[in-house]
């Protein structure tokens, strides 16, 4: 087996080493390329570029495999709690019962945010998008928790991670309660992490709130399925921002902004809006299929296609099944679910989608579940952010512990050459 590739340029042959991962993925190591040839590589959108070596998440887009720290996503979604998965992603192993209890207790202790955060929240208009609110409030957390984190100190790192895991769900719930005009509440620390989040979202001031196990189970699954996805747009943002040694909270706040876009996490909101628009337009899915294929029309089938998955998205399979279960448990018949299934069927048989290997992704059915649970459409991407939080933390931590250099790509300049006034 070759351990390098040869590149010929300007009459010279240089050897570039090959790097192999634990799942036999190969890469050309170009770290010495510019020094030895003066060349750089050009790869818009980083379609062929690995930015790091990572031991957190393995993804095989051809075979539809997704694993966190070696565990299949199907296994984790069926058998683990979101907090266990968070521990696994961040610290590398599933927690023992004692480790899990300690983490939960530490989170409970930190499950408060400064009351002055409420003043900041109050000053946003009610129409503000909750992702903007969440990103701002996460950034504001820095001012209320200003101690710097020594990344070499396990204790410092652990404390910062606990702080974020504890306070972030409160900010997510408050973003929701602001839209709904509900009083801001705090955690009920007698509950599990996911159950408590449901409690903070849905508890009304004048009524008892009893969660339904099926609802909490669906939320738990959705959070796990979103928990990490290797070097996607928001995670790469978190790593790049953190690579300038900006702190954990600042890096996560930047990641939230990246996630907001409709080509990334914002797609879950865009899917429901699209399905609603199709319904309002008489439910003719063929018309929208034609629009999606028309190169002169900017319309895309939201919730379809993925940069890496070229066979199927294993998360979408689990979510579709969960959507059926939750709606049937709640006795809801949502006409947009029928439209979604119709669109999926048509797309999977259509040569345009087949040739381009476009399949439903994680965002195609998740919004239908959120909606059945009574979560407003603008909040869908916030739910994605809560799920992705452990992944962002794990990737930030790995990047800092690996002492990765500051992220600073190069460019090929194509502007004006020197000019004079
Ligand atoms: N509808 C219609 N055509 C599509 C779609 C779509 N949803 N997605 C890709 N295509 C076409 C695209 O026009 C291109 O065609 P051609 O080769 O003729 O120019 C081809 O498929 C390849 O697409 P691409 O845009 O070059 O692929 P990419 O890897 O850069 O983009 C994507 C991936 C997810 C941004 C894209 O598929 C898309 O915009 N999907 C809709 C938005 C969406 O659902 N995003 C959520 C992604 S999964 C969760 C997450 O990451 O947060």
């Amino acid at each position: 087996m070759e351990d390098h590739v040869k590149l010929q340029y300007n009459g010279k042959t240089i050897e570039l080493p090959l790097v192999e991962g634990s799942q036999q993925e190969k890469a050309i190591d170009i770290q010495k390329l510019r020094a030895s040839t003066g060349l750089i590589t050009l790869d818009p959108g980083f379609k062929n570029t690995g930015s790091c070596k990572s031991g957190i998440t393995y993804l095989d887009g051809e075979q539809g495999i997704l694993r966190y720290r070696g565990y299949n996503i199907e296994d984790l979604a069926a058998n683990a709690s979101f907090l266990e998965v968070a521990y696994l992603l961040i610290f590398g192993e599933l927690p023992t019962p004692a480790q899990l209890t300690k983490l939960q207790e530490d989170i409970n202790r930190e499950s408060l945010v400064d009351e002055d955060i409420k003043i900041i929240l109050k000053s946003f208009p009610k129409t503000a998008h909750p992702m903007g609110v969440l990103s701002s409030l996460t950034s504001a957390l820095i001012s209320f928790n200003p101690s710097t984190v020594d990344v070499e100190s396990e204790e410092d790192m652990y404390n910062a991670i606990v702080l974020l895991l504890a306070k972030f769900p409160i900010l997510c719930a408050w973003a929701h309660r602001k839209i709904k005009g509900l009083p801001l509440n705090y955690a009920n620390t007698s509950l599990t992490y996911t159950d408590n989040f449901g409690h903070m979202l849905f508890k009304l001031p004048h009524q008892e709130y009893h969660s339904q196990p099926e609802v909490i189970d669906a939320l738990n699954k959705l959070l796990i399925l979103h928990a990490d996805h290797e070097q996607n747009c928001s995670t790469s943002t978190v790593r790049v921002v953190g690579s300038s040694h900006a702190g954990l909270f600042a890096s996560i706040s930047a990641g939230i902004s990246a996630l907001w876009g409709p080509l990334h996490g914002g797609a879950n909101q865009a899917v429901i809006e699209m399905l609603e628009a199709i319904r309002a337009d008489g439910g003719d899915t063929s018309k929208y299929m034609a629009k999606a294929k028309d190169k002169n029309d900017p319309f895309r089938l939201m919730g379809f296609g993925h940069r890496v998955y070229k066979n199927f998205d294993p998360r979408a399979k689990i979510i579709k099944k969960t959507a059926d279960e939750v709606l049937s448990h709640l006795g809801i018949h949502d006409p947009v679910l029928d439209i979604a299934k119709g669109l999926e069927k048509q797309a999977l048989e259509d040569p345009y989608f087949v040739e381009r290997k476009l399949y439903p992704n994680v965002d195609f059915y998740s919004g239908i579940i959120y909606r059945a649970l009574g979560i407003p459409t603008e909040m869908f991407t916030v739910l994605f952010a809560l799920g992705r939080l452990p992944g962002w933390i794990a990737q930030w931590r790995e990047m800092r512990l690996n002492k990765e250099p500051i992220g600073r790509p190069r460019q090929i300049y194509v502007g004006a050459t020197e000019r004079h006034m």
Side-chain angles (χ1 to χ4, degrees):
M1 182 70 72
E2 300 272 357
D3 63 356
H4 63 269
V5 294
K6 287 186 178 147
L7 181 74
Q8 288 187 321
Y9 178 64
N10 260 352
K12 261 175 52 184
T13 301
I14 62 153
E15 287 185 1
L16 295 168
L18 284 178
V19 180
E20 188 170 322
S22 50
Q23 293 273 338
Q24 289 74 52
E25 295 169 297
K26 292 191 182 59
I28 305 168
D29 179 346
I30 59 158
Q31 291 182 78
K32 302 253 162 66
L33 178 67
R34 188 167 177 275
S36 51
T37 63
L39 295 172
I40 63 164
T41 56
L42 185 63
D43 187 19
F46 312 120
K47 292 193 176 194
N48 304 283
T49 299
S51 59
C52 59
K53 289 183 191 168
S54 177
I56 300 171
T57 287
Y58 173 66
L59 203 167
D60 181 330
E62 269 68 39
Q63 299 201 49
I65 294 174
L66 172 61
R67 293 187 196 129
Y68 300 159
R69 303 279 191 188
Y71 294 98
N72 281 316
I73 193 67
E74 293 80 2
D75 207 1
L76 291 169
N79 301 309
S81 74
F82 177 57
L83 197 58
E84 285 175 296
V85 170
Y87 190 102
L88 170 72
L89 284 166
I90 298 170
F91 301 111
E93 297 295 336
L94 282 166
T96 62
Q99 285 167 329
L100 187 62
T101 305
K102 177 171 177 351
L103 179 63
Q104 183 69 70
E105 285 171 0
D106 292 337
I107 288 174
N108 289 349
R109 236 188 328 277
E110 290 294 344
S111 288
L112 273 178
V113 295
D114 196 294
E115 282 284 302
D116 283 350
I117 294 264
K118 287 184 177 171
I119 301 171
I120 304 175
L121 181 64
K122 196 162 186 275
S123 55
F124 280 98
K126 230 179 175 175
T127 50
H129 194 286
M131 283 298 277
V133 173
L134 186 64
S135 167
S136 307
L137 295 187
T138 305
S139 188
L141 276 183
I142 306 164
S143 316
F144 293 91
N145 304 274
S147 62
T148 48
V149 179
D150 171 5
V151 292
E152 303 289 341
S153 152
E154 267 187 41
E155 193 190 345
D156 255 29
M157 275 293 238
Y158 180 79
N159 291 340
I161 289 164
V162 162
L163 219 80
L164 199 50
L165 288 175
K167 298 181 195 309
F168 196 71
I170 300 175
L171 302 184
C172 294
W174 283 7
H176 170 73
R177 296 181 79 88
K178 163 108 189 168
I179 298 177
K180 290 277 193 180
L182 290 168
L184 305 181
N185 56 359
Y186 279 100
N188 178 342
T189 54
S190 65
L191 303 173
T192 64
Y193 193 84
T194 307
D195 203 356
N196 173 51
F197 180 64
H199 174 93
M200 284 194 291
L201 277 187
F202 300 125
K203 167 91 177 73
L204 298 177
H206 61 304
Q207 284 174 9
E208 284 289 305
Y209 171 71
H210 299 290
S211 60
Q212 303 184 50
E214 292 79 3
V215 168
I216 298 308
D217 184 53
L219 257 182
N220 188 60
K221 274 201 177 71
L222 283 166
L223 294 175
I224 290 173
L225 295 172
H226 287 89
D228 196 46
H229 215 232
E230 49 118 302
Q231 307 312 316
N232 58 85
C233 177
S234 57
T235 300
S236 299
T237 303
V238 169
R239 284 184 88 123
V240 169
V241 172
S243 75
S244 75
H245 293 196
L248 178 59
F249 293 7
S251 308
I252 300 290
S253 166
I256 296 167
S257 298
L259 185 72
W260 190 358
L263 298 191
H264 190 13
N268 56 13
Q269 172 174 347
V271 168
I272 287 288
E273 288 167 352
M274 174 188 77
L275 295 173
E276 276 297 356
I278 298 175
R279 184 161 91 110
D281 195 20
D284 181 3
T285 48
S286 308
K287 178 174 162 188
Y288 286 84
M289 286 289 292
K291 274 166 76 61
K293 295 188 284 182
D294 180 356
K295 291 291 169 198
N296 297 315
D297 189 325
F299 177 80
R300 278 190 166 198
L301 204 52
M302 299 312 286
F304 258 77
H306 197 274
R307 170 61 60 80
V308 185
Y309 291 122
K310 300 297 173 197
N311 184 339
F312 65 94
D313 181 337
R315 301 168 301 173
K317 272 197 172 176
I318 303 171
I319 292 181
K320 184 178 178 185
K321 187 163 166 277
T322 309
D324 278 330
E325 287 164 2
V326 169
L327 268 66
S328 131
H329 169 75
L330 296 174
I332 293 175
H333 173 249
D334 189 340
V336 304
L337 180 58
D338 299 333
I339 294 177
K341 286 184 176 171
L343 265 181
E344 178 185 356
K345 187 167 180 306
Q346 258 178 294
L348 294 184
E349 289 164 359
D350 190 297
Y352 173 98
F353 287 85
V354 173
E355 279 159 21
R356 289 170 181 74
K357 302 188 171 154
L358 302 171
Y359 295 86
N361 60 47
V362 68
D363 293 318
F364 196 61
Y365 288 104
S366 60
I368 292 172
I369 304 179
Y370 294 140
R371 187 161 123 119
L373 303 185
I375 297 171
T377 314
E378 317 87 271
M379 273 296 294
F380 292 179
T381 316
V382 169
L383 272 284
F384 192 150
L386 178 63
R388 187 54 54 89
L389 181 68
W392 286 333
I393 296 173
Q395 301 269 354
W396 184 90
R397 180 172 181 263
E398 180 183 70
M399 178 274 304
R400 289 301 309 270
L401 291 179
N402 286 351
K403 298 193 175 16
E404 285 176 17
I406 186 166
R408 203 294 187 193
R410 287 186 173 265
Q411 63 166 18
I412 295 294
Y413 177 69
V414 294
T417 52
E418 187 178 15
R419 295 199 270 185
H420 299 282
M421 304 281 288

